[in-house]
Amino acid sequence: MKVFNTLTRKKEELVPITPGEIKMYSCGPTVYNYFHIGNARPFIMFDLLRCYLEYRGYNVRFVQNFTDIDDKVINKANEENTTYDKIAERYIKEYFTDAEGLKIKRATVHPKATDMIDEIIDIVSTLIEKGYAYEAGGDVYYRVKAFPEYGKLSHQPLEDLEAGARIDVREHKEDPMDFALWKGAKPGEPSWDSPWGKGRPGWHIECSAMARKYLGETIDIHTGGVDLIFPHHENEIAQSEAANGKPFAHYWLHNAFLNVDNQKMGKSLGNFFTARDAAAAYGYDTIRFFMVSAHYRTPLNYSQESLEQAKASLARINAAFSNLRFLRGNAQDGDMTEKEAVSAASFDGYRTRFCDAMDDDLNTADAVSVIFELVREINTVCAEKDVTKAYAVAALAILSELCGVLSIGQVEEEKSLDDEIEQLIAQRQAARKAKNWAEADRIRDDLKARGIILEDTPQGVKWSRA
Ligand code: AMP
Ligand code: ZN
């Protein structure tokens, strides 16, 4: 597989440190609110990268953090007259609710910053010992100029980065570029004991601590949104490489923004839709499909129109699933027809093209196009009167496999519900046979009220969701 590496600005072959294993770290949410669908982009796309690597046989160890202590979490706690940990606990729970809806799998580990204090103190102490950090007024700062490679990820010379740097009046930095590793306690704020007095970690250090603790000193892949390249990831590199004396991450992958009216969706800009609200309007499945249909490095615009379009496209895939499930139960027995055999023989080719697209820097846009071509092929063959169960089974297998990798479409059968609907259809057929029209109509109306449409076909009564 090739991935675009921000560090080298090239598409490179992904070669893991340990053959067959991937160590991957993704920056997770700050838990003071529901996440918005801009945040959902890295959560969905990099979990998908992990799932695809697993599909290709890698053993993936995947870490995604929760930033459970920072100014935003503290402010929210103050607003609500509660404690930071209550706020964090609530929004971590809400994260998992949305993640589950969006079919984002759990990471191998989801560490919280506040569980990492010992590891953080350890790294900060090492940085001070090595001369990369200094204590000033109860804070500890990273001495950026001590790390000559600073700027290598954002590909900007130090002077350019320096131009934007400021010293806040409350800070005690030697240089505007320096950043806080440890912040001395302010009155009324949560704090932890440290060799530099009571305080709390700076924003960047938790990721260096977590990656080292759960994945080791050098990891394969590190991911996040493009807004994290500078300063967050640049600072993670400076911290980890100076402390460990080893490269931090071999491949840096960054997703482009999700925009609204061509402007970045962001909490501070106030132009955001939470995943929760977007799902209420369009369904989690549609949000996921919308995200997966675009390559992660292409800017993506969120609009009612684009979501409606995603919904309609997904419905086409789902119609193929329900048609195939129906034919699997109702089409004729026996060997595939010649036309079907030719079509079934082409399925491996679809899988190869799907993987080629995914191997090309996770090109999910092209992978989804391959699925649509497959759906078209299957629909054409299934339109024949003499369609067989054998073909339906084979077509369902490949469609489920490819959609399963992306977690799009009704790959999982809603078994109990489907069984109940099929039972009702059978009861209606029995009622019709017995010329009990009132009962037959009642069942049809009952199903209709539940959004189930019945259709008479040569293979029998077929149902679909409206
Ligand atoms: P935050 O909770 O703000 O630290 O963001 C969590 C993740 O969402 C980070 O990887 C950000 O880079 C990413 N992110 C934030 N806003 C957007 C957006 N509008 N589009 C894509 N990714 C975003
Ligand atoms: Zn991070």
Side-chain angles (χ1 to χ4, degrees):
M1 176 175 197
K2 284 203 158 97
V3 290
F4 184 86
N5 189 355
T6 307
L7 196 58
T8 57
R9 287 183 164 170
K10 282 195 198 98
K11 253 191 220 174
E12 295 176 335
E13 193 61 40
L14 176 64
V15 183
I17 299 162
T18 311
E21 270 180 39
I22 297 283
K23 294 181 264 292
M24 182 170 162
Y25 186 95
S26 206
C27 297
T30 306
V31 279
Y32 70 103
N33 206 336
Y34 294 96
F35 65 82
H36 62 65
I37 58 164
N39 301 135
R41 194 168 194 197
F43 303 157
I44 291 174
M45 298 312 287
F46 297 126
D47 167 64
L48 178 50
L49 170 63
R50 170 256 199 122
C51 292
Y52 180 65
L53 289 168
E54 285 175 346
Y55 169 72
R56 296 305 299 266
Y58 287 100
N59 182 7
V60 185
R61 246 185 103 71
F62 179 45
V63 178
Q64 186 180 292
N65 66 311
F66 287 118
T67 301
D68 63 339
I69 184 82
D70 86 335
D71 290 346
K72 288 173 283 200
V73 183
I74 294 171
N75 290 342
K76 180 86 170 183
N78 290 342
E79 268 168 37
E80 296 195 11
N81 232 338
T82 182
T83 52
Y84 84 92
D85 51 325
K86 290 262 166 20
I87 295 292
E89 191 187 342
R90 183 196 308 160
Y91 289 108
I92 287 173
K93 199 164 147 265
E94 301 295 6
Y95 167 89
F96 284 123
T97 301
D98 286 324
E100 197 176 308
L102 291 166
K103 298 202 173 82
I104 299 167
K105 297 202 178 57
R106 294 222 171 200
T108 320
V109 201
H110 279 284
K112 291 189 291 190
T114 56
D115 288 340
M116 219 46 46
I117 302 293
D118 289 348
E119 188 78 15
I120 288 171
I121 290 175
D122 192 55
I123 297 188
V124 176
S125 304
T126 307
L127 289 171
I128 293 176
E129 274 161 38
K130 290 187 165 185
Y132 289 102
Y134 55 95
E135 199 242 303
D139 300 335
V140 180
Y141 295 96
Y142 190 96
R143 185 176 280 126
V144 167
K145 293 218 169 98
F147 187 71
E149 292 180 79
Y150 196 83
K152 67 178 173 183
L153 185 68
S154 43
H155 302 272
Q156 290 193 66
L158 208 55
E159 306 81 70
D160 289 4
L161 297 173
E162 220 169 351
R166 298 275 178 278
I167 302 187
D168 193 295
V169 284
R170 287 162 302 181
E171 295 177 310
H172 310 90
K173 297 184 204 177
E174 285 175 0
D175 187 287
M177 289 292 290
D178 297 351
F179 59 89
L181 296 168
W182 186 263
K183 297 178 173 183
K186 294 195 196 113
E189 282 190 2
S191 60
W192 288 261
D193 287 326
S194 84
W196 320 287
K198 281 191 173 299
R200 61 179 165 101
W203 169 30
H204 315 288
I205 194 70
E206 66 184 79
C207 294
S208 288
M210 291 165 180
R212 185 170 85 174
K213 178 164 175 141
Y214 295 105
L215 301 171
E217 292 179 334
T218 303
I219 67 173
D220 295 295
I221 303 176
H222 197 310
T223 67
V226 280
D227 55 332
L228 297 189
I229 297 174
F230 182 81
H232 183 55
H233 289 165
E234 202 73 76
N235 292 355
E236 283 189 37
I237 292 176
Q239 296 164 161
S240 294
E241 299 198 349
N244 304 328
K246 295 197 182 131
F248 179 35
H250 286 167
Y251 305 92
W252 287 86
L253 274 60
H254 292 100
N255 64 276
F257 285 140
L258 181 91
N259 296 322
V260 189
D261 299 326
N262 299 311
Q263 202 184 18
K264 180 200 169 191
M265 181 181 290
K267 278 178 197 156
S268 47
L269 292 168
N271 63 347
F272 66 90
F273 299 95
T274 63
R276 191 66 56 92
D277 289 345
Y282 301 103
Y284 281 117
D285 286 1
T286 301
I287 310 288
R288 181 176 177 94
F289 180 81
F290 167 69
M291 221 63 93
V292 171
S293 309
H295 185 230
Y296 75 96
R297 285 194 299 113
T298 311
L300 181 59
N301 204 45
Y302 179 90
S303 67
Q304 190 180 342
E305 197 188 354
S306 54
L307 266 292
E308 294 292 352
Q309 205 176 352
K311 196 173 178 135
S313 300
L314 183 58
R316 271 168 57 211
I317 295 178
N318 285 337
F321 270 115
S322 54
N323 191 30
L324 287 172
R325 289 200 174 106
F326 168 73
L327 292 173
R328 183 183 56 186
N330 299 280
Q332 66 185 31
D333 291 317
D335 293 342
M336 288 189 205
T337 63
E338 211 176 300
K339 183 173 177 178
E340 287 175 345
V342 171
S343 170
S346 74
F347 290 165
D348 281 348
Y350 283 96
R351 182 190 294 106
T352 305
R353 286 174 49 220
F354 175 89
C355 290
D356 287 349
M358 296 293 279
D359 285 346
D360 181 13
D361 191 30
L362 203 75
N363 195 333
T364 51
D366 284 1
V368 168
S369 300
V370 173
I371 290 179
F372 275 109
E373 282 178 45
L374 175 66
V375 165
R376 228 169 290 136
E377 157 113 27
I378 292 171
N379 286 348
T380 310
V381 177
C382 287
E384 300 287 333
K385 274 205 168 57
D386 53 356
V387 57
T388 65
K389 281 183 186 169
Y391 181 77
V393 167
L396 195 53
I398 182 76
L399 189 62
S400 300
E401 181 183 332
L402 303 190
C403 288
V405 175
L406 305 181
S407 290
I408 56 168
Q410 274 154 11
V411 176
E412 304 286 333
E413 293 180 52
E414 291 172 55
K415 200 69 191 116
S416 55
L417 198 64
D418 288 6
D419 285 352
E420 191 194 332
I421 290 163
E422 259 143 41
Q423 250 176 32
L424 282 170
I425 292 171
Q427 279 172 27
R428 176 172 165 267
Q429 291 301 87
R432 283 173 68 163
K433 224 172 179 176
K435 299 202 162 38
N436 185 351
W437 309 118
E439 175 66 1
D441 287 351
R442 191 194 62 75
I443 296 172
R444 176 187 275 266
D445 291 347
D446 180 21
L447 286 166
K448 195 171 167 196
R450 294 164 63 174
I452 307 298
I453 308 293
L454 304 184
E455 186 192 339
D456 288 306
T457 76
Q459 287 83 23
V461 181
K462 182 174 141 183
W463 63 269
S464 55
R465 292 194 171 84

